[in-house]
Amino acid sequence: MARIIVVTSGKGGVGKTTTSAAFGTGLALRGFKTAVVDFDVGLRNLDLIMGVERRVVYDFVNVIHGEATLGQALIRDKRLPNLSILAASQTRDKDALTQDGVGRVLEELSREFDYIICDSPAGIEKGAHLAMYFADDAIVVTNPEVSSVRDSDRVLGLLASKTRRAERQEAKVNEHLIITRYAPKRVSKGEMLSLQDVQEILSIPLLGVIPESPSVLQCSNAGTPVILEDKSEAGQAYGDTVARYLGESRSLRFVEEEKGFLRRLFGG
Amino acid sequence: MSSPPSAATRPLICELKGSGFTFTVLKIFDADIARLGAEVARRIDQAPEFFRGASVIVDVQAVAKDAWHLPELITMLRDLELVPIAIRGAGSAREDEVRAMGLGILGESRAPAIEAKPEVVEKPATARLVTEPVRSGQQIYAKGDLIVVGAVSHGAELLAEGNIHVYGPLRGRALAGLRDNRSARIFCRSLEAELISIAGYYRLAEDLEPAQRGHPVQIHLDGENLHVLPL
């Protein structure tokens, strides 16, 4: 049976899809058969970020409605053979998703894959609800600012009450926190919440901190998951994050302000 | 048959309505009239004003079907200025006798255990304990006290008819003493609340003393004023 991971946040634009693409690619790099599923029906983005937008024939909604088989709709990544993408439909809306349908597709994927990443849409409505409903693990993506943190807090409340595990009173969904767009310089100026502040409010284990980095946007535009960029700090940070998820111990990087040339020279 | 006059033109002579009343039920466990009379008299003495002329329903379920003597029982009660109006649990064999005395017949009670004591003692609600953090958008209601071990986030709401205790930071709303329980209090380790309220009297975050923000406090109601005291 596959492990189902939802990447969620409540707020939009915090890096859910970037994280889904990077995390799924990271697991595939480690040799796991991984599928990344886009739940953002109507605002399909995952295929762009993963560079497969020209190869989408059938999508998630087609599979739910029986218009295509899963085998026809899954797009295999050209770089990593054990990574597959299930795109969202651009022409439909979230009502095209049904709980039964999503359950059936995830169950079928579970037979073939080790990990299924569910890329949740923003908000807390139907699409987001169905993305988290079947999850075993949740990755909550937060930016270090108050509105994002509060929305994540709301989502954590839903994870504890509105998922299949909660309804069946099974072990609760494992919650992990990823803080994205972290800029230590702005934190020390007081323009951004520190990771301690965020952790204090959300009180769930921190899986990773991804620094603000121009390479994230460049990679998105190029359709390359940022984790494949060895030189990018964000890519390295995602690598650490995947390692921590798999139980390895990695110390946090890129969370302290980089010392300037003179201060490095004279210490301080 | 002539058609009935319309309701508008016909004078109102009577009306039949269903209505609920509270009656005193005298449940007897002993059919001996002398012992029973003495005990009823003793109880009436404790609140003579309340019982004078009171209508009572006599519940005979607890004694043997043929043990009680109806005319003696009714005479005894009338002598004590009570007005027996019906017998409950007479049993089908003795219903005609009851009817002949001009009394009503009530069926057997379905919950004899509770009927045994007329004054219903409400079981005190136990405290509700919450060990998970209370997230934004969650609402928790307690019929008694509410104890939250972790944090209460912005946008979360605690509602309790009793006291509220919060051991993590209290950042959301806390409303204690619902249903007009003015003696309820709020206790917290770190006051960062958006709103606090006791029995409907509330204060917003901006009305709280800045010096008390983030500090351990207790909040109680004095008249119409909420007092925030350091712990």
Side-chain angles (χ1 to χ4, degrees):
Chain A
M1 278 297 279
R3 207 141 174 98
I4 301 176
I5 307 170
V6 60
V7 178
T8 183
S9 69
K11 195 169 161 62
V14 297
K16 280 184 296 296
T17 302
T18 301
T19 299
S20 297
F23 208 82
T25 306
L27 288 170
L29 279 170
R30 298 298 195 103
F32 295 105
K33 286 204 76 178
T34 306
V36 190
V37 183
D38 191 350
F39 276 75
D40 205 349
V41 178
L43 293 166
R44 175 183 117 187
N45 282 163
L46 180 73
D47 52 320
L48 280 173
I49 291 186
M50 297 191 74
V52 297
E53 79 277 13
R54 289 156 190 252
R55 296 167 56 207
V56 177
V57 183
Y58 294 110
D59 58 50
F60 193 13
V61 172
N62 292 139
V63 180
I64 285 177
H65 292 184
E67 295 150 6
T69 64
L70 197 51
Q72 289 173 310
L74 278 173
I75 306 163
R76 186 167 289 196
D77 189 87
K78 282 192 170 156
R79 296 158 290 224
L80 293 160
N82 48 1
L83 177 64
S84 293
I85 294 111
L86 185 56
S89 169
Q90 184 71 348
T91 53
R92 307 293 290 271
D93 61 28
K94 309 293 191 265
D95 291 330
L97 298 175
T98 60
Q99 186 159 308
D100 277 358
V102 172
R104 265 185 285 116
V105 173
L106 292 182
E107 202 190 309
E108 204 180 331
L109 285 170
S110 288
R111 285 186 227 127
E112 199 184 330
F113 291 91
D114 300 315
Y115 288 102
I116 302 166
I117 314 274
C118 300
D119 181 20
S120 173
I124 52 174
E125 278 74 43
K126 192 171 186 187
H129 169 68
L130 289 174
M132 70 169 67
Y133 185 75
F134 296 95
D136 302 306
D137 295 334
I139 292 177
V140 176
V141 182
T142 299
N143 286 168
E145 48 107 6
V146 284
S147 59
S148 174
V149 172
R150 184 172 302 186
D151 290 359
S152 294
D153 194 58
R154 177 90 172 94
V155 161
L156 284 165
L158 297 176
L159 283 166
S161 59
K162 295 281 157 66
T163 53
R164 185 169 64 171
R165 281 172 174 253
E167 283 178 6
R168 293 184 177 177
Q169 302 194 321
E170 297 170 350
K172 63 179 217 162
V173 177
N174 286 310
E175 298 156 339
H176 305 280
L177 178 65
I178 295 186
I179 301 174
T180 53
R181 310 197 66 165
Y182 196 70
K185 213 172 186 172
R186 297 187 62 193
V187 172
S188 56
K189 278 191 207 159
E191 295 172 0
M192 233 179 215
L193 294 177
S194 72
L195 66 101
Q196 289 80 9
D197 292 338
V198 178
Q199 260 190 296
E200 214 258 322
I201 296 170
L202 296 179
S203 53
I204 58 167
L206 182 66
L207 195 61
V209 179
I210 312 301
E212 172 83 78
S213 161
S215 60
V216 173
L217 188 60
Q218 287 158 14
C219 285
S220 292
N221 290 336
T224 311
V226 69
I227 198 167
L228 294 173
E229 284 298 314
D230 295 339
K231 290 194 191 71
S232 153
E233 288 188 350
Q236 292 172 36
Y238 272 119
D240 289 351
T241 303
V242 172
R244 283 188 208 103
Y245 175 79
L246 296 172
E248 295 169 26
S249 131
R250 295 277 175 99
S251 55
L252 280 178
R253 292 194 277 171
F254 320 115
V255 294
E256 300 296 335
E257 198 174 347
E258 216 172 287
K259 288 173 180 169
F261 171 73
L262 283 174
R263 285 173 68 192
R264 221 180 307 173
L265 206 59
F266 296 108
Chain B
M1 269 183 75
S2 62
S3 62
S6 75
T9 59
R10 196 172 57 180
L12 186 67
I13 295 166
C14 72
E15 207 174 25
L16 282 172
K17 276 170 109 176
S19 210
F21 295 93
T22 303
F23 287 111
T24 303
V25 175
L26 173 68
K27 183 161 188 169
I28 62 171
F29 298 95
D30 189 338
D32 185 279
I33 289 298
R35 276 199 296 268
L36 202 54
E39 181 59 18
V40 175
R42 193 183 67 79
R43 300 224 174 192
I44 288 175
D45 266 353
Q46 292 171 357
E49 286 310 310
F50 179 76
F51 284 111
R52 184 167 300 134
S55 302
V56 292
I57 292 165
V58 186
D59 186 334
V60 295
Q61 281 179 99
V63 292
K65 288 271 178 263
D66 50 0
W68 46 281
H69 188 269
L70 187 62
E72 279 183 16
L73 188 61
I74 300 306
T75 308
M76 179 270 285
L77 294 172
R78 287 187 178 145
D79 286 349
L80 290 167
E81 290 185 59
L82 295 173
V83 183
I85 54 167
I87 304 291
R88 172 147 81 181
S92 50
R94 298 191 65 178
E95 281 184 3
D96 288 342
E97 190 191 339
V98 174
R99 238 177 247 124
M101 291 284 294
L103 296 172
I105 292 167
L106 295 176
E108 316 227 335
S109 89
R110 286 195 202 100
I114 293 172
E115 297 302 328
K117 33 180 180 175
E119 72 274 34
V120 180
V121 181
E122 205 169 300
K123 198 179 154 217
T126 48
R128 181 166 178 192
L129 176 68
V130 178
T131 52
E132 295 288 313
V134 185
R135 304 287 181 184
S136 188
Q138 287 181 321
Q139 196 181 52
I140 294 191
Y141 191 98
K143 291 192 82 63
D145 285 5
L146 177 58
I147 303 166
V148 180
V149 179
V152 178
S153 295
H154 290 287
E157 197 165 70
L158 304 181
L159 304 161
E161 292 175 21
N163 305 304
I164 294 178
H165 306 255
V166 182
Y167 292 95
L170 170 57
R171 302 192 173 107
R173 295 162 166 238
L175 295 88
L178 300 178
R179 296 165 69 125
D180 208 35
N181 176 5
R182 300 167 69 99
S183 60
R185 294 188 177 205
I186 299 170
F187 303 86
C188 64
R189 291 270 297 272
S190 176
L191 176 68
E192 300 164 41
E194 294 168 342
L195 179 146
I196 50 165
S197 161
I198 292 171
Y201 295 93
Y202 70 91
R203 252 204 245 179
L204 284 167
E206 59 179 19
D207 305 325
L208 293 170
E209 203 65 46
Q212 284 169 326
R213 255 193 107 69
H215 289 280
V217 298
Q218 63 163 317
I219 299 149
H220 69 98
L221 187 64
D222 178 15
E224 298 193 349
N225 293 317
L226 281 180
H227 284 288
V228 183
L229 302 172
L231 267 181

